[in-house]
Amino acid sequence: MRFEWDQLIRYGPELLQAFGVTIVISAISLIIGIVLGMIACLGKLSGQGGAYRLSIAFIDFFRTIPEVVLIFWVYSCLPLLLSVRISSEACGVIALSLFSGAYLAEIFRAGVLAVPRGQVDAAHALAIPRLHIWRKIIIPPAIRRMMPAFVNFLTELLKATSLLSAIAVAEMAYVASILGAKTLSYFEFLSAIAVLYFILIFPFSVWARRSEKKLLQRTGH
Amino acid sequence: MSAGQAAENPFIHCRGVSKYFGNFKALDEISIDIEAGEIVCIVGPSGGGKSTLLRVLNALEPIDSGEIQIDQIKLPGSRKDVEDIRREVGMVFQQFNLFEHMSIRENVTFAPRMSRKMSTENANELAENLLRRVGIAEQIAKYPNHLSGGQQQRVAIARALAMQPKAMLFDEPTSALDPEMVAEVLDVIRELAESGMTMLIVTHEMGFAKEVSDRMLYMSGGRIIVDSETQEFFQSVDNSDLNQFLSKIL
Ligand SMILES: Nc1ncnc2c1ncn2[C@@H]1O[C@H](COP(=O)(O)OP(=O)(O)O)[C@@H](O)[C@H]1O
Ligand SMILES: [Mg+2]
């Protein structure tokens, strides 16, 4: 067997475009997921009432169902339910945003709960207004503590975009399989995207590991 | 101010204060009055409710019944009442609880800037003065984890004083310290005592308590079992619980 570089070169622009789609869909889903995650995190931290129960339900539900089922559900059922047409890209973003929101809510919550309670008490005892306690006492150390888990999640999200090939979103995995079928150069295209995924995701893995190490050094346990 | 007037208007006033954690009664009908300038030490076995008493006085824990009044402000009260009380009453914790991600300077200037709306310049000057007063002016640019326990606790005292409180609550300020660092912290508290600050100090340092306090409380089981003038407390109070406690600790 011969590695057909010319096929890769011919379809290079398509592959690069798909690489871009993967990044853009991840980025939009991440941003919406961060917003959803913050809301659900605050809801769960509130500890009681309607917002609390709703947040728990949201987090538990979307963390439990398999991502592929969620993707198919949004793609096949949501348009019927709302009786609107939704593009497959939008469906992908919706599904991955819900998935991200649920996971990030727990990551944020763990970060907030890891901030030593005594520091929050001390801030209250100093008559610091609640908003400033969040902005200056809770959030900065919470971000530092949640960073490894957050970056790890980012790698999961980038990988999860490949599942969108199931609903024909033109991201890397889908485009590679289509080009493979068209040219019968499966080996070339699938190897190429494996390398591209690695280039995209590996730096985040390294970052996650580094930030974890730094955190361990800083907190000492 | 005559003694009679002071008695009618104590600086800190608690009447029938109870506090539950679930079904557990951590404070059981506590009533005490503390005059402005008075120094009161609280002793007693672990789990007796000493920390809880200090925490309810600073509204860190809500109370379930009774009433607290500090400098005419009542608890339970509105959020504003709670903030007003906290501005008047500084608190120092056993574990220091410094803000780890802030420098010593930021730790001390944070409250005056955020809560008293002081300018950064004035807050910095205040911080320098207070840190000089507690003897660690040269550490101002460092971070808490670069300081020894004794130094951290002195920063915590400076941080509380930066709010210019009228009273200070100390919850076992030296219990988490290595023995060789206890004295430097007690020296700072002693200096504060001499300056006329109203203080409530939970401590196991009996010698220190005897020396600085006007009055002693013995707490156990969520109640104040003995409330007596200091000299009397150590010499002539006849309470079997207290005598047993003192014989163990002295
Ligand atoms: N946040 C809390 N939740 C549940 N129980 C608590 C809490 N804080 C204190 N307690 C309980 O209240 C009792 C009094 O505690 P504390 O005031 O800390 O005693 P002390 O300071 O005298 O050792 C203890 O039995 C303790 O376990
Ligand atoms: Mg205690």
Side-chain angles (χ1 to χ4, degrees):
Chain A
M1 200 178 95
R2 205 170 73 83
F3 195 92
E4 310 230 14
W5 286 102
D6 48 334
Q7 291 288 19
L8 271 188
I9 291 163
R10 181 173 330 146
Y11 291 102
E14 273 91 335
L15 272 185
L16 281 183
Q17 197 178 348
F19 186 75
V21 170
T22 292
I23 290 175
V24 169
I25 286 190
S26 302
I28 299 174
S29 305
L30 183 69
I31 290 166
I32 301 174
I34 287 174
V35 174
L36 287 175
M38 289 199 300
I39 295 170
C41 167
L42 287 177
K44 189 162 177 183
L45 284 172
S46 72
Q48 56 189 1
Y52 170 71
R53 283 195 295 274
L54 198 67
S55 303
I56 297 243
F58 170 81
I59 293 167
D60 286 347
F61 185 71
F62 290 112
R63 272 168 59 97
T64 308
I65 56 170
E67 291 96 53
V68 174
V69 174
L70 176 60
I71 290 164
F72 279 140
W73 192 90
V74 170
Y75 183 67
S76 318
C77 308
L78 197 61
L80 294 178
L81 221 58
L82 303 178
S83 50
V84 286
R85 293 177 62 94
I86 309 177
S87 71
S88 57
E89 288 79 12
C91 287
V93 166
I94 292 170
L96 293 182
S97 298
L98 292 169
F99 160 72
S100 302
Y103 274 87
L104 289 175
E106 286 296 81
I107 290 171
F108 295 164
R109 200 175 69 97
V112 168
L113 292 179
V115 176
R117 182 69 220 169
Q119 291 182 39
V120 180
D121 278 348
H124 281 299
L126 289 164
I128 310 289
R130 206 165 285 242
L131 186 68
H132 290 302
I133 293 186
W134 274 96
R135 280 186 39 214
K136 300 290 174 72
I137 303 298
I138 298 178
I139 291 175
I143 287 179
R144 203 171 306 129
R145 287 182 157 84
M146 74 179 67
M147 218 50 205
F150 180 81
V151 181
N152 252 326
F153 173 76
L154 201 50
T155 67
E156 294 304 319
L157 176 62
L158 286 165
K159 286 185 221 171
T161 55
S162 65
L163 300 173
L164 299 182
S165 57
I167 57 169
V169 173
E171 46 68 56
M172 277 203 286
Y174 181 75
V175 168
S177 66
I178 292 293
L179 290 176
K182 190 159 123 185
T183 61
L184 295 179
S185 299
Y186 281 109
F187 183 68
E188 286 74 8
F189 288 112
L190 292 176
S191 306
I193 64 160
V195 170
L196 287 175
Y197 275 118
F198 184 84
I199 291 171
L200 184 60
I201 293 172
F202 189 65
F204 288 110
S205 307
V206 174
W207 182 14
R209 224 176 299 146
R210 288 241 175 98
S211 65
E212 183 147 35
K213 221 167 161 188
K214 226 169 75 186
L215 189 66
L216 284 177
Q217 280 167 357
R218 196 189 270 272
T219 57
H221 45 71
Chain B
M1 205 191 317
S2 79
Q5 258 179 327
E8 279 162 34
N9 258 332
F11 186 74
I12 296 174
H13 168 86
C14 292
R15 196 56 70 229
V17 171
S18 294
K19 168 73 193 172
Y20 288 85
F21 291 111
N23 286 325
F24 179 77
K25 201 169 197 178
L27 292 181
D28 187 1
E29 300 275 324
I30 299 280
S31 295
I32 37 166
D33 285 337
I34 294 164
E35 305 299 331
E38 205 173 5
I39 294 168
V40 178
C41 285
I42 308 176
V43 299
S46 159
K50 305 180 297 295
S51 299
T52 307
L53 176 59
L54 295 197
R55 291 173 64 85
V56 301
L57 288 178
N58 211 347
L60 286 179
E61 304 281 358
I63 56 177
D64 295 302
S65 63
E67 190 187 82
I68 295 170
Q69 194 172 329
I70 299 180
D71 202 18
Q72 318 297 333
I73 309 162
K74 284 191 178 127
L75 287 178
S78 65
R79 188 177 283 190
K80 182 177 175 302
D81 291 337
V82 167
E83 283 191 6
D84 285 345
I85 284 209
R86 288 169 175 170
R87 267 190 275 269
E88 305 234 330
V89 182
M91 184 144 178
V92 173
F93 302 85
Q94 183 175 347
Q95 300 295 341
F96 331 135
N97 296 345
L98 292 181
F99 306 130
E100 286 162 22
H101 58 295
M102 294 186 190
S103 70
I104 301 309
R105 184 200 313 273
E106 289 165 328
N107 264 277
V108 180
T109 58
F110 187 58
R113 287 193 297 116
M114 295 298 152
S115 176
R116 291 227 189 259
K117 309 277 176 239
M118 195 183 275
S119 72
T120 306
E121 198 180 312
N122 289 345
N124 280 339
E125 197 183 319
L126 176 67
E128 280 159 30
N129 287 334
L130 287 169
L131 289 169
R132 205 170 305 126
R133 183 167 168 193
V134 300
I136 33 179
E138 68 287 358
Q139 315 283 0
I140 192 160
K142 292 192 181 162
Y143 280 77
N145 59 355
H146 294 133
L147 268 55
S148 71
Q151 290 173 323
Q152 289 194 45
Q153 191 62 297
R154 286 185 281 153
V155 172
I157 294 172
R159 179 179 68 174
L161 291 176
M163 284 297 290
Q164 297 164 312
K166 293 186 184 159
M168 289 281 284
L169 310 175
F170 290 88
D171 190 2
E172 301 198 33
T174 60
S175 295
L177 297 179
D178 293 335
E180 71 271 17
M181 293 172 188
V182 169
E184 66 192 54
V185 171
L186 292 184
D187 284 345
V188 170
I189 300 174
R190 187 179 291 115
E191 190 261 329
L192 261 180
E194 282 158 8
S195 77
M197 174 74 77
T198 309
M199 302 208 281
L200 221 64
I201 308 169
V202 175
T203 184
H204 294 301
E205 299 285 333
M206 286 299 164
F208 175 76
K210 202 170 182 172
E211 174 200 343
V212 300
S213 73
D214 303 309
R215 195 168 138 205
M216 299 285 301
L217 304 180
Y218 173 69
M219 275 188 85
S220 178
R223 296 175 191 223
I224 296 178
I225 310 285
V226 175
D227 174 351
S228 123
E229 190 249 320
T230 301
Q231 208 177 0
E232 197 183 326
F233 184 90
F234 285 101
Q235 285 170 2
S236 52
V237 167
D238 193 22
N239 177 290
S240 57
D241 259 16
L242 171 61
N243 291 337
Q244 213 175 358
F245 176 77
L246 287 179
S247 70
K248 244 184 281 168
I249 205 163
L250 284 177

